[in-house]
Amino acid sequence: MKLNEEKYEIIYRKTEEFKQKLGIPKEIKLVLYSDSDYPLDGNNPRGTTVELTQGILDLLGTENEHVLFFMLAHELIHVKYKDTSFKRATWVIMSECGNDKANALICLMEMRANVLASSLVGLSESEIRDGQAFLQRVNNTSEGKASFVKGYPDRQFIADYCVRFKDFTEVIVDEILMDFKKIMNVNTTDFSEKVKTIFFKKCYPK
């Protein structure tokens, strides 16, 4: 169901603001997601719909409002880089080059969205750390290696990188992959180079 534009005027304005800053020309449809979980889910066939749960919408006007804007920006960055369609293709990659590479690719896509979203919204260090801690509490998501096994960095990892970096460069990619290898006990010599090649070729649409 499409979000009420009058009731959620601020969210629509923020969406347009973020779209302009990100250079997204296409229209973004904001819809209410029926599940009760907090996360936004921008995954859809065309990559032009962002689904918001009532839980995340209820943060509007609260002390955690910045979490809503962070997550909105996060999903719009996925739209910008067409991550939604590529994520489905990672299941093919998993069968071709192994789970660790596919998980590392998803990790890079998520970290790009996290770092750039924090920068786009203009979050302070305390807002970043408090926001990620808040999401950890409400979602009760996995931590440490258990999270990385699913291809997603844990909240502490996200917070640390978002505090340190405001852009997403090859230097950051190298560091994330180095940390990923340590956490996942990956010892393959050319692992990082192979993942980087796929990431920069497939995850930066022309």
Side-chain angles (χ1 to χ4, degrees):
M1 180 175 65
K2 183 180 178 182
L3 286 190
N4 184 297
E5 293 188 32
E6 183 176 350
K7 182 177 181 180
Y8 296 110
E9 178 189 1
I10 295 176
I11 296 177
Y12 276 94
R13 279 198 281 108
K14 279 291 183 181
T15 300
E16 287 303 312
E17 175 190 332
F18 293 158
K19 273 180 54 185
Q20 289 185 18
K21 289 182 177 179
L22 292 169
I24 299 175
K26 54 191 173 184
E27 181 181 354
I28 301 295
K29 184 178 180 181
L30 302 178
V31 300
L32 178 65
Y33 187 52
S34 59
D35 201 343
S36 60
D37 293 335
Y38 268 79
L40 304 186
D41 184 2
N43 296 332
N44 64 91
R46 294 177 301 280
T48 56
T49 299
V50 173
E51 298 173 335
L52 300 91
T53 65
Q54 191 59 56
I56 195 68
L57 291 171
D58 289 344
L59 297 179
L60 190 64
T62 72
E63 63 180 356
N64 290 309
E65 184 178 72
H66 63 281
V67 177
L68 186 165
F69 296 143
F70 162 78
M71 295 179 74
L72 176 61
H74 175 109
E75 292 303 327
L76 288 172
I77 289 163
H78 280 317
V79 171
K80 173 183 173 67
Y81 290 107
K82 300 181 181 179
D83 291 342
T84 51
S85 59
F86 185 74
K87 279 183 179 179
R88 294 192 298 276
T90 56
W91 296 110
V92 177
I93 294 172
M94 286 178 69
S95 66
E96 293 179 346
C97 60
N99 289 357
D100 284 336
K101 288 187 177 69
N103 288 342
L105 285 165
I106 296 174
C107 179
L108 288 175
M109 288 188 287
E110 290 301 319
M111 286 305 297
R112 175 173 60 188
N114 288 320
V115 169
L116 296 182
S118 293
S119 178
L120 180 62
V121 179
L123 299 182
S124 65
E125 178 174 353
S126 62
E127 286 175 329
I128 290 171
R129 295 197 182 281
D130 291 347
Q132 292 302 321
F134 172 82
L135 290 170
Q136 177 65 46
R137 290 195 302 273
V138 298
N139 288 330
N140 193 28
T141 49
S142 302
E143 298 181 74
K145 185 174 180 178
S147 181
F148 283 85
V149 166
K150 300 176 182 178
Y152 291 88
D154 70 11
R155 296 295 176 184
Q156 184 62 54
F157 189 91
I158 292 170
D160 289 343
Y161 270 87
C162 289
V163 166
R164 292 174 57 208
F165 300 105
K166 302 304 177 187
D167 199 0
F168 202 77
T169 65
E170 187 172 355
V171 172
I172 302 173
V173 170
D174 286 334
E175 188 167 335
I176 290 172
L177 289 175
M178 182 171 62
D179 286 340
F180 180 91
K181 287 177 65 177
K182 289 178 182 177
I183 293 167
M184 297 297 291
N185 299 315
V186 176
N187 298 312
T188 309
T189 305
D190 59 353
F191 177 85
S192 294
E193 285 305 315
K194 285 186 175 180
V195 172
K196 276 175 57 178
T197 298
I198 296 172
F199 180 68
F200 285 111
K201 183 177 181 180
K202 299 292 186 180
C203 299
Y204 280 86
K206 295 180 175 61

